[in-house]
Amino acid sequence: MNIPDELLYTKTHEWVKKINPKEVVVGITDPAQQQLKDIVFVELPSIGKDLRAGVACAVVESVKAAYDIFAPLSGTVMKVNQKIQEKPELVNNDPYGEGWFLHIEISNPNELNNLLNPAQYRIIGESMH
Amino acid sequence: MKKTPLYDAHLKLHARMVSFHDYLMPIQYDTITNEHHCVRKKAGLFDISHMGRFEVSGNMALPFIQYIITNDAAKLADKQVQYTPICNEQGGILDDILVYKWHQKHFTLVGNCSNREKDLAWLQKQAAAYQPIEIRDLTDGTSLIALQGPLSLDILEDTFKGKFGHLKRFSFDDFLWDGIRITISRTGYTGEEGFEIFADTTSVTKLWDLLLDNNKQDGLAPVGLGARDTLRLEAGLLLYGNEMNETITPLETTIGWTVKFGKDSFIGKESLLRQKAQGVDRKLAGFEMIDRGIPRQGYPVLQENEIIGNVTSGSFSPTMNANIGLGLIKSQYAHPGERLQIQIRGNNYNARVVKTPFYQREIRQ
């Protein structure tokens, strides 16, 4: 199970990477993509959309069902990964790289304190198997 | 939670087990997409021991069956199989089953796992007028596996060192394998060539392992309920609880052909005759998404902002690489080419009505 040390996580299996004090990249974790198995569809929010931490902001669908992806932090959508809409399997193949979901310009940096560190998330990730 | 006799075999194959109507069943061993392609291109092995199985025997067996089903079992020769709904007085579908005719006085019925208790109670209630008749629930004492895919005949002949080509579609027979009686029927729920095999609970694991071990290199793989659902949907086959329930009649779906008005009285006949004369208000139709989005059961179907029905089943289709679904919609829109919108998470996406089955295999000469 791949849980990179340099990222932050949520209980709902999103990862967060800080690029600068105001901008983060978000995706779903390796344990999450393993659980979903073949991802066949991704729905992303529009650029400029305001997000609230903990509220659904995207959807991934496996063959079997649809799952919400929750905004880890409040802010504004800056960029979305068009490539995963064309090739959803990128989320399975490279969840921390080419399978990223969106960039958020964060509005409340204090919320970063609510995120899990890799050790904390590992416990949750392992409990899924 | 109940387990089928193959439970340990599934664990050994690292299946992901889920609860399915009281049974712990394998939803997938690999990915659903891989398993789906495996059945379309090679062959897959399914545990379907959870399905309800009943034996009906006695002098009145045939007239009794004729009374409870809408199809015409009098057309069956010995060792032939027929697909039929069982309806209530209103014509609503109580279950859809396969009727296996051993002979005039002996039948096996195979129905949905979710309807097992309901079916048994219904059969017993209706049997009162057809004594002497014996109805036995065989589900726990037997097991059922399905071998499906273009290679299934070769696999069967190779594994059992015999010929099965004479077994026509929708017929079955008994065979001896290693001194054990097994029943093989040329039926399935995938849209592919295939067989279903009844065996006793003590031999089924040996049979399962033998089939898999002998044919792994040719591409046979175990397949879970996940791919069983996508395969049957592509083949336009209905699922009880999705396309059928007690408020939906066969005439409103795509299995109107299973209602044989020419035969004597059967449960639901009057209601269905009336509905046939009046015409149906709603009808099951297949559709394909034009816009991006996967339809799912329960999503509203619209036309010009008016709700005209609901999605009954929907999925990504691995064979067609498209998003497809079935929906019960107002009859006037249930024609190929008609434009619809499917409401997915509050937004409307374009779809078009298409003919079913979505997928039809090429018949090998």
Side-chain angles (χ1 to χ4, degrees):
Chain A
M1 171 179 325
N2 180 9
I3 299 174
D5 287 337
E6 67 276 17
L7 303 178
L8 294 167
Y9 299 89
T10 66
K11 273 190 273 195
T12 48
H13 311 288
E14 292 85 16
W15 57 260
V16 173
K17 182 180 179 183
K18 286 186 275 184
I19 315 190
N20 62 51
K22 296 201 89 175
E23 183 177 353
V24 300
V25 192
V26 174
I28 68 165
T29 65
D30 179 49
Q33 72 75 20
Q34 280 187 39
Q35 187 69 22
L36 293 167
K37 298 216 187 216
D38 30 15
I39 293 171
V40 293
F41 183 83
V42 180
E43 185 176 293
L44 296 167
S46 43
I47 292 164
K49 188 176 179 191
D50 284 327
L51 304 180
R52 272 185 44 215
V55 174
C57 68
V59 176
V60 289
E61 300 199 37
S62 69
V63 175
K64 204 75 199 133
Y67 303 89
D68 284 330
I69 304 304
F70 299 94
L73 301 161
S74 304
T76 309
V77 178
M78 300 172 71
K79 250 198 269 186
V80 296
N81 186 0
Q82 302 287 358
K83 264 168 92 181
I84 59 171
Q85 294 193 314
E86 306 309 318
K87 294 178 75 180
E89 63 271 24
L90 287 173
V91 181
N92 287 121
N93 299 341
D94 191 8
Y96 300 111
E98 280 202 281
W100 63 274
F101 276 55
L102 55 140
H103 284 234
I104 305 175
E105 183 180 348
I106 60 171
S107 55
N108 182 0
N110 288 335
E111 287 174 353
L112 284 162
N113 300 325
N114 302 337
L115 298 177
L116 306 175
N117 65 38
Q120 290 168 319
Y121 178 66
R122 182 170 290 278
I123 297 166
I124 294 174
E126 275 168 1
S127 73
M128 291 169 75
H129 289 265
Chain B
M1 197 66 65
K2 292 188 226 168
K3 294 170 182 173
T4 75
L6 287 164
Y7 178 78
D8 289 336
H10 301 316
L11 293 191
K12 225 166 64 189
L13 290 161
H14 308 291
R16 181 181 294 174
M17 305 299 285
V18 297
S19 144
F20 184 79
H21 302 295
D22 280 356
Y23 277 88
L24 275 169
M25 295 299 290
I27 184 97
Q28 62 201 94
Y29 305 82
D30 183 6
T31 70
I32 292 175
T33 314
N34 286 348
E35 291 174 17
H36 182 107
H37 290 311
C38 185
V39 174
R40 289 272 179 261
K41 291 175 184 152
K42 293 181 167 159
L45 193 62
F46 303 72
D47 177 14
I48 50 170
S49 302
H50 61 304
M51 299 197 75
R53 296 181 288 286
F54 308 101
E55 184 182 67
V56 177
S57 53
N59 284 337
M60 295 295 274
L62 181 61
F64 167 68
I65 299 230
Q66 285 288 67
Y67 181 60
I68 61 160
I69 69 172
T70 63
N71 208 333
D72 189 358
K75 294 220 174 78
L76 288 174
D78 290 357
K79 301 202 175 151
Q80 281 188 338
V81 189
Q82 188 174 72
Y83 174 71
T84 181
I86 297 179
C87 288
N88 58 27
E89 294 291 353
Q90 292 72 44
I93 304 171
L94 288 167
D95 200 5
D96 64 319
I97 63 168
L98 286 180
V99 176
Y100 291 73
K101 182 186 180 189
W102 294 91
H103 55 76
Q104 200 87 342
K105 297 175 185 176
H106 185 195
F107 294 80
T108 300
L109 312 182
V110 178
N112 284 283
C113 166
S114 54
N115 291 330
R116 181 176 156 194
E117 282 79 23
K118 183 179 81 176
D119 287 348
L120 186 62
W122 181 257
L123 293 175
Q124 281 164 342
K125 182 179 159 204
Q126 304 304 334
Y130 288 88
Q131 294 304 320
I133 204 160
E134 195 187 355
I135 296 164
R136 284 203 306 145
D137 186 334
L138 303 178
T139 315
D140 294 333
T142 58
S143 47
L144 184 56
I145 61 178
L147 173 65
Q148 302 277 301
L151 298 184
S152 53
L153 178 62
D154 295 341
I155 287 173
L156 207 59
E157 296 193 335
D158 192 57
T159 307
F160 296 119
K161 312 282 178 244
K163 290 283 170 206
F164 296 90
H166 63 282
L167 203 59
K168 299 278 173 259
R169 237 171 95 65
F170 280 89
S171 65
F172 67 102
D173 211 344
D174 271 349
F175 296 89
L176 266 186
W177 161 64
D178 223 2
I180 296 156
R181 193 191 91 156
I182 55 174
T183 304
I184 302 181
S185 93
R186 198 161 188 167
T187 47
Y189 192 50
T190 59
E192 290 304 324
E193 160 78 290
F195 299 86
E196 291 173 311
I197 309 171
F198 299 75
D200 67 67
T201 55
T202 49
S203 331
V204 69
T205 303
K206 200 174 131 198
L207 180 60
W208 173 271
D209 288 343
L210 175 74
L211 282 164
L212 280 183
D213 293 346
N214 257 14
N215 301 288
K216 231 181 286 177
Q217 59 285 12
D218 299 324
L220 177 67
V223 178
L225 293 182
R228 184 167 160 85
D229 190 42
T230 53
L231 288 159
R232 71 90 195 166
L233 179 61
E234 285 185 351
L237 299 168
L238 313 190
L239 174 62
Y240 198 87
N242 288 39
E243 283 74 39
M244 295 173 283
N245 64 42
E246 291 178 26
T247 69
I248 300 171
T249 76
L251 304 183
E252 295 171 319
T253 70
T254 50
I255 58 164
W257 60 272
T258 60
V259 182
K260 301 288 159 62
F261 290 111
K263 69 170 188 171
D264 283 347
S265 132
F266 59 88
I267 303 176
K269 186 176 184 181
E270 287 68 33
S271 304
L272 290 167
L273 267 176
R274 214 174 311 128
Q275 189 178 46
K276 192 189 175 207
Q278 287 167 357
V280 292
D281 296 333
R282 52 182 190 169
K283 183 86 183 159
L284 191 71
F287 62 87
E288 189 177 313
M289 297 302 296
I290 298 168
D291 294 335
R292 293 182 70 254
I294 303 179
R296 302 285 185 189
Q297 186 182 18
Y299 288 1
V301 181
L302 297 92
Q303 212 203 41
E304 308 286 332
N305 295 320
E306 180 208 356
I307 292 184
I308 59 162
N310 279 288
V311 175
T312 55
S313 290
S315 179
F316 169 70
S317 154
T319 308
M320 275 117 47
N321 194 27
N323 295 318
I324 60 169
L326 293 168
L328 194 56
I329 60 175
K330 285 189 177 168
S331 309
Q332 70 253 44
Y333 303 110
H335 303 289
E338 195 77 46
R339 280 285 187 115
L340 309 170
Q341 289 81 45
I342 309 298
Q343 194 171 90
I344 304 176
R345 294 178 285 274
N347 297 312
N348 296 342
Y349 297 90
N350 287 306
R352 89 167 68 78
V353 176
V354 296
K355 274 197 312 203
T356 60
F358 301 96
Y359 164 86
Q360 207 156 19
R361 76 189 155 101
E362 286 170 35
I363 307 290
R364 278 199 299 180
Q365 294 305 310

mmCIF file of all heavy atoms in Angstrom, chain B residues 148-181:
data_model
loop_
_atom_site.group_PDB
_atom_site.id
_atom_site.type_symbol
_atom_site.label_atom_id
_atom_site.label_comp_id
_atom_site.label_asym_id
_atom_site.label_seq_id
_atom_site.Cartn_x
_atom_site.Cartn_y
_atom_site.Cartn_z
ATOM 1 N N GLN B 148 -19.548 -20.072 -18.686
ATOM 2 C CA GLN B 148 -20.068 -19.227 -19.762
ATOM 3 C C GLN B 148 -18.927 -18.646 -20.585
ATOM 4 O O GLN B 148 -17.891 -18.265 -20.037
ATOM 5 C CB GLN B 148 -20.869 -18.066 -19.156
ATOM 6 C CG GLN B 148 -22.033 -18.512 -18.267
ATOM 7 C CD GLN B 148 -23.289 -18.857 -19.033
ATOM 8 O OE1 GLN B 148 -23.825 -18.031 -19.748
ATOM 9 N NE2 GLN B 148 -23.754 -20.094 -18.895
ATOM 10 N N GLY B 149 -19.153 -18.565 -21.891
ATOM 11 C CA GLY B 149 -18.153 -17.956 -22.760
ATOM 12 C C GLY B 149 -17.935 -18.813 -23.988
ATOM 13 O O GLY B 149 -18.328 -19.985 -24.008
ATOM 14 N N PRO B 150 -17.306 -18.229 -25.033
ATOM 15 C CA PRO B 150 -17.138 -18.964 -26.296
ATOM 16 C C PRO B 150 -16.366 -20.273 -26.156
ATOM 17 O O PRO B 150 -16.547 -21.169 -26.963
ATOM 18 C CB PRO B 150 -16.401 -17.958 -27.201
ATOM 19 C CG PRO B 150 -15.928 -16.863 -26.314
ATOM 20 C CD PRO B 150 -16.810 -16.850 -25.110
ATOM 21 N N LEU B 151 -15.519 -20.395 -25.138
ATOM 22 C CA LEU B 151 -14.751 -21.639 -24.990
ATOM 23 C C LEU B 151 -15.452 -22.681 -24.126
ATOM 24 O O LEU B 151 -14.905 -23.757 -23.877
ATOM 25 C CB LEU B 151 -13.379 -21.336 -24.356
ATOM 26 C CG LEU B 151 -12.419 -20.429 -25.121
ATOM 27 C CD1 LEU B 151 -11.083 -20.331 -24.381
ATOM 28 C CD2 LEU B 151 -12.208 -20.942 -26.545
ATOM 29 N N SER B 152 -16.676 -22.367 -23.664
ATOM 30 C CA SER B 152 -17.262 -23.239 -22.634
ATOM 31 C C SER B 152 -17.529 -24.659 -23.131
ATOM 32 O O SER B 152 -17.328 -25.613 -22.376
ATOM 33 C CB SER B 152 -18.512 -22.607 -22.025
ATOM 34 O OG SER B 152 -19.421 -22.248 -23.013
ATOM 35 N N LEU B 153 -17.936 -24.818 -24.382
ATOM 36 C CA LEU B 153 -18.188 -26.181 -24.876
ATOM 37 C C LEU B 153 -16.884 -26.987 -24.933
ATOM 38 O O LEU B 153 -16.833 -28.135 -24.477
ATOM 39 C CB LEU B 153 -18.863 -26.138 -26.258
ATOM 40 C CG LEU B 153 -19.142 -27.497 -26.905
ATOM 41 C CD1 LEU B 153 -20.093 -28.332 -26.059
ATOM 42 C CD2 LEU B 153 -19.724 -27.329 -28.317
ATOM 43 N N ASP B 154 -15.838 -26.353 -25.447
ATOM 44 C CA ASP B 154 -14.532 -27.035 -25.501
ATOM 45 C C ASP B 154 -14.067 -27.420 -24.106
ATOM 46 O O ASP B 154 -13.548 -28.514 -23.891
ATOM 47 C CB ASP B 154 -13.476 -26.114 -26.139
ATOM 48 C CG ASP B 154 -13.796 -25.812 -27.601
ATOM 49 O OD1 ASP B 154 -14.579 -26.585 -28.185
ATOM 50 O OD2 ASP B 154 -13.286 -24.809 -28.131
ATOM 51 N N ILE B 155 -14.230 -26.508 -23.176
ATOM 52 C CA ILE B 155 -13.783 -26.755 -21.802
ATOM 53 C C ILE B 155 -14.549 -27.929 -21.196
ATOM 54 O O ILE B 155 -13.964 -28.817 -20.572
ATOM 55 C CB ILE B 155 -13.955 -25.470 -20.955
ATOM 56 C CG1 ILE B 155 -12.889 -24.441 -21.358
ATOM 57 C CG2 ILE B 155 -13.888 -25.777 -19.456
ATOM 58 C CD1 ILE B 155 -13.051 -23.086 -20.717
ATOM 59 N N LEU B 156 -15.851 -27.930 -21.420
ATOM 60 C CA LEU B 156 -16.696 -28.988 -20.877
ATOM 61 C C LEU B 156 -16.275 -30.349 -21.447
ATOM 62 O O LEU B 156 -16.105 -31.332 -20.715
ATOM 63 C CB LEU B 156 -18.150 -28.690 -21.257
ATOM 64 C CG LEU B 156 -19.240 -29.216 -20.359
ATOM 65 C CD1 LEU B 156 -19.084 -28.680 -18.947
ATOM 66 C CD2 LEU B 156 -20.607 -28.804 -20.917
ATOM 67 N N GLU B 157 -16.091 -30.393 -22.763
ATOM 68 C CA GLU B 157 -15.757 -31.664 -23.413
ATOM 69 C C GLU B 157 -14.372 -32.131 -23.005
ATOM 70 O O GLU B 157 -14.142 -33.323 -22.806
ATOM 71 C CB GLU B 157 -15.870 -31.501 -24.941
ATOM 72 C CG GLU B 157 -17.309 -31.203 -25.350
ATOM 73 C CD GLU B 157 -17.585 -31.332 -26.837
ATOM 74 O OE1 GLU B 157 -16.630 -31.181 -27.642
ATOM 75 O OE2 GLU B 157 -18.758 -31.584 -27.189
ATOM 76 N N ASP B 158 -13.466 -31.192 -22.869
ATOM 77 C CA ASP B 158 -12.111 -31.534 -22.489
ATOM 78 C C ASP B 158 -12.056 -32.030 -21.037
ATOM 79 O O ASP B 158 -11.372 -32.997 -20.720
ATOM 80 C CB ASP B 158 -11.242 -30.288 -22.667
ATOM 81 C CG ASP B 158 -9.782 -30.624 -22.574
ATOM 82 O OD1 ASP B 158 -9.346 -31.484 -23.362
ATOM 83 O OD2 ASP B 158 -9.091 -30.062 -21.695
ATOM 84 N N THR B 159 -12.796 -31.370 -20.172
ATOM 85 C CA THR B 159 -12.740 -31.715 -18.743
ATOM 86 C C THR B 159 -13.446 -33.034 -18.462
ATOM 87 O O THR B 159 -12.966 -33.841 -17.679
ATOM 88 C CB THR B 159 -13.377 -30.585 -17.906
ATOM 89 O OG1 THR B 159 -12.759 -29.353 -18.257
ATOM 90 C CG2 THR B 159 -13.201 -30.832 -16.415
ATOM 91 N N PHE B 160 -14.580 -33.251 -19.105
ATOM 92 C CA PHE B 160 -15.353 -34.462 -18.811
ATOM 93 C C PHE B 160 -15.129 -35.572 -19.836
ATOM 94 O O PHE B 160 -15.790 -36.601 -19.782
ATOM 95 C CB PHE B 160 -16.842 -34.123 -18.710
ATOM 96 C CG PHE B 160 -17.156 -33.201 -17.573
ATOM 97 C CD1 PHE B 160 -17.724 -31.964 -17.792
ATOM 98 C CD2 PHE B 160 -16.870 -33.576 -16.261
ATOM 99 C CE1 PHE B 160 -18.003 -31.105 -16.742
ATOM 100 C CE2 PHE B 160 -17.157 -32.730 -15.200
ATOM 101 C CZ PHE B 160 -17.715 -31.486 -15.446
ATOM 102 N N LYS B 161 -14.230 -35.319 -20.784
ATOM 103 C CA LYS B 161 -13.884 -36.327 -21.793
ATOM 104 C C LYS B 161 -15.145 -36.920 -22.447
ATOM 105 O O LYS B 161 -15.313 -38.134 -22.523
ATOM 106 C CB LYS B 161 -13.057 -37.473 -21.174
ATOM 107 C CG LYS B 161 -11.888 -37.017 -20.318
ATOM 108 C CD LYS B 161 -10.696 -36.587 -21.169
ATOM 109 C CE LYS B 161 -9.552 -36.090 -20.301
ATOM 110 N NZ LYS B 161 -9.240 -34.676 -20.524
ATOM 111 N N GLY B 162 -16.023 -36.036 -22.848
ATOM 112 C CA GLY B 162 -17.248 -36.507 -23.495
ATOM 113 C C GLY B 162 -17.713 -35.482 -24.504
ATOM 114 O O GLY B 162 -17.076 -34.439 -24.697
ATOM 115 N N LYS B 163 -18.813 -35.771 -25.156
ATOM 116 C CA LYS B 163 -19.366 -34.859 -26.151
ATOM 117 C C LYS B 163 -20.625 -34.202 -25.583
ATOM 118 O O LYS B 163 -21.481 -34.879 -25.026
ATOM 119 C CB LYS B 163 -19.706 -35.614 -27.442
ATOM 120 C CG LYS B 163 -18.466 -36.088 -28.197
ATOM 121 C CD LYS B 163 -17.823 -34.928 -28.951
ATOM 122 C CE LYS B 163 -16.451 -35.309 -29.511
ATOM 123 N NZ LYS B 163 -15.561 -34.162 -29.687
ATOM 124 N N PHE B 164 -20.730 -32.906 -25.740
ATOM 125 C CA PHE B 164 -21.898 -32.186 -25.233
ATOM 126 C C PHE B 164 -22.565 -31.339 -26.312
ATOM 127 O O PHE B 164 -23.509 -30.613 -26.042
ATOM 128 C CB PHE B 164 -21.504 -31.306 -24.046
ATOM 129 C CG PHE B 164 -21.034 -32.094 -22.864
ATOM 130 C CD1 PHE B 164 -19.690 -32.422 -22.712
ATOM 131 C CD2 PHE B 164 -21.941 -32.543 -21.921
ATOM 132 C CE1 PHE B 164 -19.259 -33.176 -21.638
ATOM 133 C CE2 PHE B 164 -21.511 -33.288 -20.829
ATOM 134 C CZ PHE B 164 -20.177 -33.615 -20.690
ATOM 135 N N GLY B 165 -22.037 -31.441 -27.529
ATOM 136 C CA GLY B 165 -22.556 -30.632 -28.627
ATOM 137 C C GLY B 165 -24.024 -30.926 -28.941
ATOM 138 O O GLY B 165 -24.750 -30.066 -29.418
ATOM 139 N N HIS B 166 -24.458 -32.171 -28.635
ATOM 140 C CA HIS B 166 -25.841 -32.560 -28.927
ATOM 141 C C HIS B 166 -26.822 -31.898 -27.960
ATOM 142 O O HIS B 166 -28.021 -31.881 -28.201
ATOM 143 C CB HIS B 166 -25.990 -34.075 -28.818
ATOM 144 C CG HIS B 166 -25.718 -34.593 -27.434
ATOM 145 N ND1 HIS B 166 -24.432 -34.742 -26.934
ATOM 146 C CD2 HIS B 166 -26.556 -34.942 -26.438
ATOM 147 C CE1 HIS B 166 -24.509 -35.181 -25.697
ATOM 148 N NE2 HIS B 166 -25.764 -35.302 -25.364
ATOM 149 N N LEU B 167 -26.288 -31.387 -26.853
ATOM 150 C CA LEU B 167 -27.145 -30.713 -25.877
ATOM 151 C C LEU B 167 -27.511 -29.352 -26.474
ATOM 152 O O LEU B 167 -26.685 -28.447 -26.551
ATOM 153 C CB LEU B 167 -26.359 -30.547 -24.575
ATOM 154 C CG LEU B 167 -27.120 -30.388 -23.270
ATOM 155 C CD1 LEU B 167 -28.011 -31.590 -23.009
ATOM 156 C CD2 LEU B 167 -26.124 -30.230 -22.121
ATOM 157 N N LYS B 168 -28.757 -29.212 -26.906
ATOM 158 C CA LYS B 168 -29.168 -27.972 -27.576
ATOM 159 C C LYS B 168 -29.399 -26.874 -26.553
ATOM 160 O O LYS B 168 -29.595 -27.139 -25.372
ATOM 161 C CB LYS B 168 -30.446 -28.215 -28.380
ATOM 162 C CG LYS B 168 -30.290 -29.257 -29.477
ATOM 163 C CD LYS B 168 -29.664 -28.639 -30.727
ATOM 164 C CE LYS B 168 -29.328 -29.653 -31.795
ATOM 165 N NZ LYS B 168 -27.901 -30.018 -31.842
ATOM 166 N N ARG B 169 -29.425 -25.646 -27.042
ATOM 167 C CA ARG B 169 -29.736 -24.515 -26.180
ATOM 168 C C ARG B 169 -31.088 -24.753 -25.514
ATOM 169 O O ARG B 169 -32.020 -25.246 -26.125
ATOM 170 C CB ARG B 169 -29.808 -23.249 -27.021
ATOM 171 C CG ARG B 169 -28.849 -22.183 -26.557
ATOM 172 C CD ARG B 169 -28.804 -21.041 -27.541
ATOM 173 N NE ARG B 169 -29.717 -19.955 -27.148
ATOM 174 C CZ ARG B 169 -29.573 -19.231 -26.054
ATOM 175 N NH1 ARG B 169 -28.582 -19.453 -25.213
ATOM 176 N NH2 ARG B 169 -30.423 -18.266 -25.773
ATOM 177 N N PHE B 170 -31.166 -24.437 -24.229
ATOM 178 C CA PHE B 170 -32.371 -24.644 -23.431
ATOM 179 C C PHE B 170 -32.768 -26.120 -23.341
ATOM 180 O O PHE B 170 -33.947 -26.462 -23.350
ATOM 181 C CB PHE B 170 -33.535 -23.762 -23.930
ATOM 182 C CG PHE B 170 -33.417 -22.358 -23.424
ATOM 183 C CD1 PHE B 170 -32.716 -21.404 -24.144
ATOM 184 C CD2 PHE B 170 -33.960 -22.003 -22.187
ATOM 185 C CE1 PHE B 170 -32.554 -20.109 -23.655
ATOM 186 C CE2 PHE B 170 -33.806 -20.718 -21.700
ATOM 187 C CZ PHE B 170 -33.106 -19.772 -22.429
ATOM 188 N N SER B 171 -31.757 -26.981 -23.279
ATOM 189 C CA SER B 171 -32.052 -28.364 -22.906
ATOM 190 C C SER B 171 -31.004 -28.810 -21.887
ATOM 191 O O SER B 171 -29.994 -28.130 -21.679
ATOM 192 C CB SER B 171 -32.078 -29.264 -24.140
ATOM 193 O OG SER B 171 -30.803 -29.312 -24.711
ATOM 194 N N PHE B 172 -31.260 -29.939 -21.241
ATOM 195 C CA PHE B 172 -30.371 -30.401 -20.168
ATOM 196 C C PHE B 172 -30.378 -31.913 -20.113
ATOM 197 O O PHE B 172 -31.236 -32.573 -20.720
ATOM 198 C CB PHE B 172 -30.796 -29.808 -18.823
ATOM 199 C CG PHE B 172 -32.131 -30.306 -18.301
ATOM 200 C CD1 PHE B 172 -32.184 -31.280 -17.302
ATOM 201 C CD2 PHE B 172 -33.320 -29.813 -18.802
ATOM 202 C CE1 PHE B 172 -33.412 -31.733 -16.804
ATOM 203 C CE2 PHE B 172 -34.542 -30.270 -18.323
ATOM 204 C CZ PHE B 172 -34.596 -31.225 -17.327
ATOM 205 N N ASP B 173 -29.403 -32.460 -19.399
ATOM 206 C CA ASP B 173 -29.362 -33.910 -19.218
ATOM 207 C C ASP B 173 -28.491 -34.245 -18.012
ATOM 208 O O ASP B 173 -27.720 -33.417 -17.537
ATOM 209 C CB ASP B 173 -28.820 -34.591 -20.485
ATOM 210 C CG ASP B 173 -29.425 -35.987 -20.661
ATOM 211 O OD1 ASP B 173 -29.994 -36.536 -19.689
ATOM 212 O OD2 ASP B 173 -29.315 -36.528 -21.768
ATOM 213 N N ASP B 174 -28.635 -35.491 -17.580
ATOM 214 C CA ASP B 174 -27.805 -36.001 -16.492
ATOM 215 C C ASP B 174 -26.543 -36.632 -17.060
ATOM 216 O O ASP B 174 -26.588 -37.251 -18.121
ATOM 217 C CB ASP B 174 -28.577 -37.096 -15.731
ATOM 218 C CG ASP B 174 -29.405 -36.509 -14.613
ATOM 219 O OD1 ASP B 174 -29.225 -35.317 -14.310
ATOM 220 O OD2 ASP B 174 -30.225 -37.245 -14.048
ATOM 221 N N PHE B 175 -25.450 -36.491 -16.338
ATOM 222 C CA PHE B 175 -24.199 -37.114 -16.759
ATOM 223 C C PHE B 175 -23.535 -37.707 -15.528
ATOM 224 O O PHE B 175 -23.751 -37.239 -14.403
ATOM 225 C CB PHE B 175 -23.263 -36.071 -17.399
ATOM 226 C CG PHE B 175 -23.830 -35.486 -18.657
ATOM 227 C CD1 PHE B 175 -24.646 -34.351 -18.607
ATOM 228 C CD2 PHE B 175 -23.577 -36.076 -19.898
ATOM 229 C CE1 PHE B 175 -25.193 -33.816 -19.774
ATOM 230 C CE2 PHE B 175 -24.120 -35.547 -21.058
ATOM 231 C CZ PHE B 175 -24.922 -34.422 -21.001
ATOM 232 N N LEU B 176 -22.753 -38.738 -15.755
ATOM 233 C CA LEU B 176 -21.972 -39.314 -14.656
ATOM 234 C C LEU B 176 -20.555 -38.781 -14.759
ATOM 235 O O LEU B 176 -19.920 -38.859 -15.818
ATOM 236 C CB LEU B 176 -21.960 -40.840 -14.760
ATOM 237 C CG LEU B 176 -23.014 -41.603 -13.963
ATOM 238 C CD1 LEU B 176 -22.766 -43.096 -14.077
ATOM 239 C CD2 LEU B 176 -23.050 -41.192 -12.476
ATOM 240 N N TRP B 177 -20.083 -38.238 -13.668
ATOM 241 C CA TRP B 177 -18.710 -37.742 -13.644
ATOM 242 C C TRP B 177 -18.049 -38.359 -12.413
ATOM 243 O O TRP B 177 -18.480 -38.094 -11.294
ATOM 244 C CB TRP B 177 -18.703 -36.206 -13.552
ATOM 245 C CG TRP B 177 -17.410 -35.635 -13.072
ATOM 246 C CD1 TRP B 177 -16.200 -35.710 -13.681
ATOM 247 C CD2 TRP B 177 -17.197 -34.920 -11.844
ATOM 248 N NE1 TRP B 177 -15.247 -35.091 -12.936
ATOM 249 C CE2 TRP B 177 -15.836 -34.589 -11.800
ATOM 250 C CE3 TRP B 177 -18.020 -34.518 -10.789
ATOM 251 C CZ2 TRP B 177 -15.266 -33.877 -10.731
ATOM 252 C CZ3 TRP B 177 -17.467 -33.822 -9.738
ATOM 253 C CH2 TRP B 177 -16.105 -33.504 -9.713
ATOM 254 N N ASP B 178 -17.097 -39.240 -12.658
ATOM 255 C CA ASP B 178 -16.378 -39.834 -11.542
ATOM 256 C C ASP B 178 -17.344 -40.557 -10.583
ATOM 257 O O ASP B 178 -17.184 -40.488 -9.366
ATOM 258 C CB ASP B 178 -15.643 -38.713 -10.775
ATOM 259 C CG ASP B 178 -14.233 -39.155 -10.418
ATOM 260 O OD1 ASP B 178 -13.864 -40.273 -10.791
ATOM 261 O OD2 ASP B 178 -13.519 -38.374 -9.755
ATOM 262 N N GLY B 179 -18.374 -41.157 -11.162
ATOM 263 C CA GLY B 179 -19.340 -41.867 -10.333
ATOM 264 C C GLY B 179 -20.390 -40.974 -9.690
ATOM 265 O O GLY B 179 -21.243 -41.447 -8.948
ATOM 266 N N ILE B 180 -20.318 -39.671 -9.987
ATOM 267 C CA ILE B 180 -21.253 -38.727 -9.363
ATOM 268 C C ILE B 180 -22.207 -38.195 -10.431
ATOM 269 O O ILE B 180 -21.777 -37.845 -11.533
ATOM 270 C CB ILE B 180 -20.478 -37.557 -8.727
ATOM 271 C CG1 ILE B 180 -19.590 -38.088 -7.592
ATOM 272 C CG2 ILE B 180 -21.423 -36.488 -8.208
ATOM 273 C CD1 ILE B 180 -18.424 -37.191 -7.300
ATOM 274 N N ARG B 181 -23.490 -38.122 -10.069
ATOM 275 C CA ARG B 181 -24.470 -37.606 -11.010
ATOM 276 C C ARG B 181 -24.436 -36.080 -11.035
ATOM 277 O O ARG B 181 -24.541 -35.427 -9.992
ATOM 278 C CB ARG B 181 -25.875 -38.062 -10.604
ATOM 279 C CG ARG B 181 -26.912 -37.845 -11.696
ATOM 280 C CD ARG B 181 -28.303 -38.057 -11.167
ATOM 281 N NE ARG B 181 -28.836 -36.789 -10.674
ATOM 282 C CZ ARG B 181 -30.130 -36.509 -10.577
ATOM 283 N NH1 ARG B 181 -31.024 -37.404 -10.896
ATOM 284 N NH2 ARG B 181 -30.543 -35.337 -10.127
#
